[in-house]
Amino acid sequence: MQHRHFLIHKPYGYLSQFIYQLKRKKKLLGELYDFPEGTMAIGRLDEDSEGLLLLTTDGMMSEIVRGKKVEKEYYVQVDGIINQEAIEQLKNGVEIGFNGKKYTTKKCDAFILKRTPELGDRGKKIRDERHGPTSWLSITINEGKFRQVRKMTSAVGFPTLRLVRIRVGNVLLNDLKAGEVIEVKEFQI
């Protein structure tokens, strides 16, 4: 069987799944493209997050990519002007809640972005300058606890306003527009 692989720029407001059992109507990945049967998302981005999502029909590839050695990089817009002290805390690991317990995140790479990244508009306006300043940073992790990046920035006093995954391993979001899907021969992780 020939497996198929896809890159998608998951837009804000979509779930990283194809089936949703609860009663509330949700936007699902299958609404963006006619994926073949058996396609699965490798990892997830929550409904409020955007960016690069890999999809495949190959369960083994999914296991490899979700492994702890594969880096995931995010551009994060936070409330307030983040400082170097908060960046150092993020880099060294912060305590977050996970499954009802305290968890200290692994060391990661983090730095302040000097310019606002060009990511296109988000599906829903965040807020404007009247609500105070915001800043952008890059966080690269190789683990992925539930809502981890959002919990990390909150733990250092800068809640996340917008979260966009721009890289998984060596695979980049590049110029994919929100909702755009491309099929690739393989993932160069």
Side-chain angles (χ1 to χ4, degrees):
M1 176 179 148
Q2 182 71 33
H3 287 292
R4 295 177 66 188
H5 313 286
F6 304 88
L7 307 179
I8 182 172
H9 182 156
K10 187 191 99 51
Y12 172 86
Y14 280 76
L15 296 180
S16 295
Q17 56 197 64
F18 293 94
I19 299 170
Y20 185 71
Q21 302 286 339
L22 301 179
K23 291 185 192 237
R24 280 190 15 227
K25 177 82 174 115
K26 296 286 186 177
K27 296 178 186 173
L28 305 174
L29 295 178
E31 297 171 33
L32 299 172
Y33 189 83
D34 186 20
F35 293 101
E37 189 175 330
T39 301
M40 64 191 95
I42 302 176
R44 292 181 181 253
L45 288 171
D46 64 34
E47 187 174 6
D48 295 339
S49 299
E50 312 159 60
L52 183 62
L53 190 61
L54 310 182
L55 296 103
T56 185
T57 58
D58 183 355
M60 286 302 293
M61 178 57 70
S62 179
E63 287 298 314
I64 291 167
V65 174
R66 289 186 303 127
K68 302 239 185 290
K69 293 184 173 89
V70 177
E71 293 182 336
K72 288 92 177 169
E73 183 177 3
Y74 300 84
Y75 282 171
V76 189
Q77 183 182 23
V78 294
D79 187 10
I81 303 299
I82 196 162
N83 54 45
Q84 198 56 43
E85 178 184 336
I87 293 290
E88 292 304 318
Q89 289 175 322
L90 290 169
K91 288 167 103 172
N92 291 314
V94 294
E95 189 174 271
I96 62 173
F98 178 67
N99 280 344
K101 298 183 174 101
K102 298 281 185 203
Y103 175 80
T104 300
T105 60
K106 293 179 177 8
K107 288 186 182 233
C108 70
D109 188 28
F111 59 90
I112 298 169
L113 295 172
K114 295 186 183 347
R115 289 187 301 229
T116 300
E118 294 182 28
L119 298 167
D121 290 334
R122 186 175 110 162
K124 178 180 175 188
K125 187 163 176 59
I126 295 171
R127 64 179 204 191
D128 59 37
E129 294 75 32
R130 294 175 297 175
H131 296 98
T134 67
S135 52
W136 284 88
L137 63 146
S138 167
I139 297 179
T140 302
I141 59 175
N142 60 5
E143 58 181 340
K145 305 294 185 208
F146 180 70
R147 298 178 70 88
Q148 177 175 336
V149 173
R150 292 177 184 280
K151 291 177 182 180
M152 288 171 67
T153 65
S154 286
V156 298
F158 295 90
T160 294
L161 300 173
R162 186 175 182 189
L163 180 66
V164 182
R165 182 162 52 203
I166 61 151
R167 180 173 64 87
V168 175
N170 295 319
V171 181
L172 300 172
L173 181 61
N174 286 334
D175 297 327
L176 275 178
K177 306 284 184 249
E180 191 175 350
V181 179
I182 59 171
E183 187 165 359
V184 295
K185 285 187 184 277
E186 60 185 359
F187 298 126
Q188 298 293 325
I189 303 298

